[in-house]
Amino acid sequence: GLVTDSIHVESYNLYIDELDYSAQSIKGHGILSVHAKVNSLNKISLNLLGMQIDSVSLPNKQLLNYTYDGTIVRVVPNTVLNTGDSIVIVIKYHGKPYVDPTFGGFAFSGDYAFNIGVGFDAMPHNLGRAWFPCLDAFNDKAYYQFHVTASSGKRAYCNGTLQKID
């Protein structure tokens, strides 16, 4: 897990751009509003479990340097951040989401794809990192928006209030 003493993610705008039921994989991107809680912050560490990262950028498409070891994405902001500063990061990724061997994670079953945000065997038990880049800590509260592209004949269901269907 990650400590929450250096950053706070205020909001997640999460996009599932593609669900591949036969390959049991997703393609998506997250737009994260990250706030510095310390001075001289030159690296932002986020959880993401076993995905492939396509790019990390600012909203204007300026690429940011990063490293990824399969569990933690370490993003280098384009400027050093101090307490109260914020940055919006866009992370594009794809892959097969993590399924907890006992119970939980992001799973595919026939015509369904679904997420259970915890895992019995996972440490820590929360599993946002199973399918999107995040600060995967129970004590970091954030706003979420979900944008799901569903193939013809399929529907998406998310928690919260439905804003629109395109």
Side-chain angles (χ1 to χ4, degrees):
L2 296 177
V3 294
T4 56
D5 57 358
S6 63
I7 66 167
H8 161 61
V9 179
E10 180 184 40
S11 66
Y12 296 89
N13 236 322
L14 301 176
Y15 292 77
I16 294 181
D17 301 311
E18 185 180 307
L19 285 161
D20 184 332
Y21 293 88
S22 60
Q24 297 190 344
S25 67
I26 65 172
K27 181 177 182 183
H29 66 283
I31 303 172
L32 285 62
S33 176
V34 179
H35 295 260
K37 293 169 72 174
V38 296
N39 289 326
S40 304
L41 184 68
N42 61 5
K43 194 174 291 174
I44 296 168
S45 296
L46 300 163
N47 300 104
L48 182 63
L49 194 53
M51 293 290 195
Q52 302 297 314
I53 295 179
D54 300 310
S55 66
V56 178
S57 69
L58 298 175
N60 68 4
K61 300 194 183 345
Q62 177 188 342
L63 294 177
L64 297 175
N65 290 323
Y66 70 92
T67 59
Y68 179 52
D69 64 5
T71 59
I72 299 192
V73 185
R74 290 176 177 86
V75 179
V76 179
N78 59 331
T79 183
V80 173
L81 304 173
N82 290 311
T83 304
D85 291 345
S86 63
I87 185 173
V88 175
I89 299 170
V90 180
I91 301 177
K92 296 182 179 181
Y93 59 96
H94 69 277
K96 192 170 184 167
Y98 176 79
V99 179
D100 188 273
T102 303
F103 177 82
F106 191 111
F108 288 84
S109 178
D111 286 341
Y112 292 92
F114 58 95
N115 176 59
I116 298 172
V118 296
F120 285 173
D121 288 342
M123 284 297 167
H125 293 298
N126 39 306
L127 272 180
R129 65 190 180 277
W131 72 277
F132 66 93
C134 60
L135 186 55
D136 209 4
F138 282 123
N139 61 343
D140 192 63
K141 306 302 180 199
Y143 295 99
Y144 285 82
Q145 286 189 15
F146 301 99
H147 309 263
V148 181
T149 300
S151 52
S152 181
K154 299 218 186 307
R155 292 175 180 240
Y157 295 93
C158 302
N159 59 329
T161 303
L162 177 64
Q163 297 296 311
K164 69 177 180 174
I165 299 174
D166 291 334

